[in-house]
Amino acid sequence: MENVARPWPALWSLVIGFFMILIDTTIVSVANPSIMEGLNTDINSVIWVTSAYLLAYAVPLLITGRLGDRFGPKKLYLSGLVVFTVASLWCGLSGSVEILIAARVVQGLGAAMMTPQTMAVITRIFPPDRRGAAMGIWGATAGVATLVGPILGGVLVDGLGWEWIFFINVPVGIVGFILAQRFVPSLTTHPHKFDIPGVLLSALGLFLVVFGIQEGETYDWGTIVGPITVWGLIISGIAVLVVFVLWQRFNTGEPLLPLSLFKDRNFSLANIAITTVGFTVTAFSLPLIFYYQIVRGLTPTQSALMMVPMALISGGLAPVVGRIIDRVNPKFITAAGLVLMSVALFWNALLMHPDTPIWLFLLPSAVLGFANAGIWAPLSSTVTRNLPPRQAGAGSGVYNTTRQIGAVLGSAAIAVLIQARLAAELPARPGAGATSPMGFGGALPAELQEGFSTAMGQSILLPAAVILLGAAVALFFAKPKPVQGWGEPDAAAVAGTGTADADTTDADKAATDQADTAAAADTERAAAERG
C-alpha cells in the first residue's frame, strides 16, 4: 500500500513531469533555425514540429482526464510519462523532419495523458480549504518554466546541438518516474462507463477547430486542398462540438463530459478566465520577442533573460499567494493579478520604440511576475474546489483543454494581427517581404525600426485587452463555501467498490485523515496566535 499520508512529496513528484511538459512547449522555438539546418528542411516544415506537438497535446485532454478517473490518475500519469520520455529520445534521434514531426505527435499524446492527472491528484489528496498552497506550487512551476525553457534551449542548442533539447528529457523523465512511483498515491478508481460516441465526437471536433485555427495563417485563411478550406474546417469542428454537447446532454448512460460540472458557477467562470490567460500568455510573447531580436538585436538567450524578473517574482510569490487564498476570497487576488498583467502589457506597448533604454523593459517584466503569482494558484484552486473526487479527472481535463484552446486562439490571432500591423506601418519593400518579420534577413534597417516597433506595440494591445475580460469574469466568482464532508466516499464510489482494491481505499482514507489532522493543527496554531 502506498504511503499517501504525505501529500507534499506526491505533489513535488508530479511537478517534475509537469515542468518537463511546459518546457517542451517553449524550448523548441529557440531551436527552430538549428533544426532547419540540421535536417535540411524549410520553415513551413519546422513549424509543424511545434504545431504537431500542440495539436496532439490539446485534442485528447478531455478523454485522458476521464481515463484518469476510470483507471486511476497514477497509472495514467506514469504511462504518459513513459510515452513522453521514449518519444523525447525518438525526437533526438530523428534523421528527417518527417520522423521528428511523428515523434512530436507521440510526445504530445504523452503530455496529454499526464497533464490532467497532476491537477486531479492535487484535487484528491489536498482538502479544498488547504489546496491553495499546492496549487501555488503548480502555478509557480508554470512561471519558472517560461524562463527556463528559452534559456535552457539556447544553452543546449549552442553547446550541444538541437538534439539535446529532447535528450535532456530522458534522465529527467526517469527520475520523475521513480519519484512518482514512490510518492504518488494509487487513489480509488471509479466505475465509469466509456462513452465511445462522446470520445469520437470530442476528438474530431477539437481536432478540426484546433487544426483550423492553428494552421489558418499558413494557408492564408483560405483553401487547404481541393474544396477543404480553413474556415470550413473551423465551422465543421464547431458543429461537431455542438453535436457532442447535445449528446452529452441526452446520453442516458454516463457522458464523457458531465455537464453538471458547469452548474457550479465558479467552475464555469474559472474556465472562461483561464481561456483568456492561455490566449494572453501565448500571444504577448511573440511581438515582444520580435521587438527584442529584430529591433534591438538581442540574441535568443538575451531575450529570454529579459523575462528573469517575471519568472523569479512569479516563482517566489506563487506559493505565498497559494497559502493566502486558503484564508481569503480568491476572486480579489485573481482579478488583481489579471489587471496587473494587462497593465504590464500596456506598459510594454508604450515602451516599444527603437531608442528606449532596454533596462526599462525589466520593470513591466517585474509587474508580470506579480501578476502571474496572483493568477495561476487562485484560478486552479477556484476551479477544483467543489469538484467531487470521482469527477476530478474530468474537471481537470476541461480546465486544461480550455487553457490550450485559449493558447491556440492567441497564437493564431497574434500572428494575423502582427502581419496586418506590419503591412500598415511599414513601407513596401520590393522582394523583401516587408509584411513578415522573417523577411528582413538580418538587421532591420534603421529607417524601418520605428514602424516595426509601433506595429509590435500595437499588436501587444490585443492580449492586454483580452486579459481584462478575464479580470471582469473573475469579479463574479462566488465566495468559497465552507468545506463539508470532503474525503467521504460518494454513493457511486461505494456502489463500485469492486473496481477499487482495499489498499487504495485505505490510501484515500489515510490521505483524508492526514489532511484532517493538518487542518486541526492549523486551527490550534491560529487559536494560539490569537491568544
Side-chain angles (χ1 to χ4, degrees):
M1 182 177 68
E2 301 274 359
N3 176 20
V4 297
R6 300 163 59 203
W8 285 102
L11 171 65
W12 285 111
S13 302
L14 293 170
V15 159
I16 292 175
F18 184 53
F19 184 78
M20 187 167 63
I21 293 169
L22 293 173
I23 288 288
D24 257 61
T25 62
T26 58
I27 198 171
V28 174
S29 59
V30 177
N32 279 343
S34 297
I35 293 174
M36 287 174 60
E37 181 180 353
L39 297 181
N40 192 28
T41 187
D42 57 25
I43 184 66
N44 290 329
S45 297
V46 83
I47 284 174
W48 262 101
V49 174
T50 298
S51 296
Y53 174 80
L54 293 176
L55 196 62
Y57 182 17
V59 170
L61 284 170
L62 278 181
I63 301 166
T64 56
R66 201 58 163 161
L67 287 174
D69 287 336
R70 175 63 183 86
F71 297 106
K74 178 177 180 177
K75 288 181 180 178
L76 216 57
Y77 177 86
L78 291 176
S79 300
L81 184 54
V82 169
V83 171
F84 187 93
T85 304
V86 172
S88 296
L89 179 62
W90 183 15
C91 287
L93 296 174
S94 298
S96 70
V97 71
E98 292 80 12
I99 293 176
L100 178 57
I101 290 171
R104 286 283 279 171
V105 169
V106 178
Q107 196 182 38
L109 291 173
M113 294 171 68
M114 295 167 64
T115 299
Q117 318 317 324
T118 59
M119 282 188 69
V121 171
I122 293 171
T123 300
R124 294 182 63 180
I125 66 177
F126 288 90
D129 53 353
R130 291 178 52 82
R131 198 174 291 153
M135 288 299 181
I137 299 297
W138 192 82
T141 302
V144 174
T146 60
L147 167 68
V148 174
I151 292 179
L152 181 61
V155 170
L156 290 175
V157 171
D158 292 340
L160 298 172
W162 66 265
E163 298 89 347
W164 283 88
I165 66 173
F166 301 112
F167 287 151
I168 192 68
N169 290 336
V170 177
V172 176
I174 292 172
V175 171
F177 185 93
I178 293 171
L179 292 176
Q181 177 65 36
R182 171 69 182 85
F183 292 112
V184 176
S186 295
L187 300 171
T188 306
T189 57
H190 298 96
H192 298 292
K193 296 178 181 178
F194 209 54
D195 179 13
I196 299 297
V199 168
L200 296 176
L201 288 169
S202 68
L204 177 60
L206 285 172
F207 176 83
L208 292 173
V209 170
V210 173
F211 180 87
I213 295 172
Q214 188 170 280
E215 300 304 314
E217 182 64 22
T218 303
Y219 296 101
D220 198 26
W221 299 94
T223 300
I224 297 176
V225 60
I228 301 175
T229 65
V230 170
W231 285 109
L233 287 182
I234 294 173
I235 293 171
S236 299
I238 293 173
V240 172
L241 289 177
V242 169
V243 174
F244 166 70
V245 172
L246 290 174
W247 168 248
Q248 301 304 286
R249 171 66 179 84
F250 296 107
N251 181 8
T252 56
E254 185 173 12
L256 173 68
L257 173 61
L259 296 182
S260 59
L261 290 172
F262 294 95
K263 292 180 180 178
D264 180 71
R265 176 167 143 191
N266 283 354
F267 181 86
S268 298
L269 293 177
N271 272 284
I272 296 172
I274 197 62
T275 303
T276 68
V277 173
F279 183 106
T280 300
V281 169
T282 303
F284 87 80
S285 60
L286 192 60
L288 197 57
I289 293 298
F290 277 156
Y291 169 81
Y292 285 151
Q293 296 185 13
I294 294 176
V295 177
R296 308 309 296 266
L298 302 186
T299 65
T301 301
Q302 288 171 333
S303 300
L305 288 173
M306 297 299 295
M307 305 291 185
V308 166
M310 178 186 73
L312 292 182
I313 292 174
S314 174
L317 283 183
V320 177
V321 172
R323 288 192 291 271
I324 293 174
I325 61 174
D326 284 334
R327 296 170 172 82
V328 302
N329 191 336
K331 80 173 183 179
F332 301 112
I333 297 176
T334 308
L338 295 168
V339 169
L340 275 180
M341 179 169 281
S342 182
V343 168
L345 297 184
F346 278 113
W347 193 354
N348 270 307
L350 292 174
L351 291 176
M352 283 187 176
H353 299 284
D355 55 353
T356 301
I358 198 69
W359 66 267
L360 285 177
F361 286 90
L362 297 176
L363 301 179
S365 178
V367 175
L368 278 173
F370 287 100
N372 268 310
I375 291 172
W376 296 97
L379 274 180
S380 304
S381 179
T382 298
V383 82
T384 60
R385 184 177 177 90
N386 298 327
L387 288 181
R390 64 183 277 105
Q391 294 181 345
S396 177
V398 172
Y399 185 73
N400 284 284
T401 298
T402 55
R403 177 174 60 86
Q404 282 299 111
I405 289 176
V408 171
L409 288 169
S411 177
I414 202 67
V416 172
L417 185 57
I418 284 175
Q419 296 287 346
R421 297 322 305 158
L422 284 174
E425 295 294 334
L426 295 182
R429 299 175 66 228
T435 61
S436 172
M438 306 302 293
F440 294 100
L444 187 67
E447 66 271 16
L448 298 179
Q449 289 183 0
E450 183 64 42
F452 192 97
S453 300
T454 300
M456 295 304 103
Q458 292 169 345
S459 298
I460 214 169
L461 295 177
L462 173 64
V466 168
I467 202 67
L468 282 178
L469 174 62
V473 168
L475 290 175
F476 289 93
F477 285 164
K479 184 177 180 180
K481 299 176 182 177
V483 178
Q484 295 180 344
W486 182 87
E488 294 176 1
D490 55 45
V494 173
T497 51
T499 64
D501 58 38
D503 282 353
T504 57
T505 303
D506 289 344
D508 275 349
K509 185 178 184 301
T512 304
D513 291 345
Q514 173 69 12
D516 290 342
T517 301
D522 272 2
T523 302
E524 291 174 5
R525 282 197 300 271
E529 290 171 0
R530 288 193 299 269

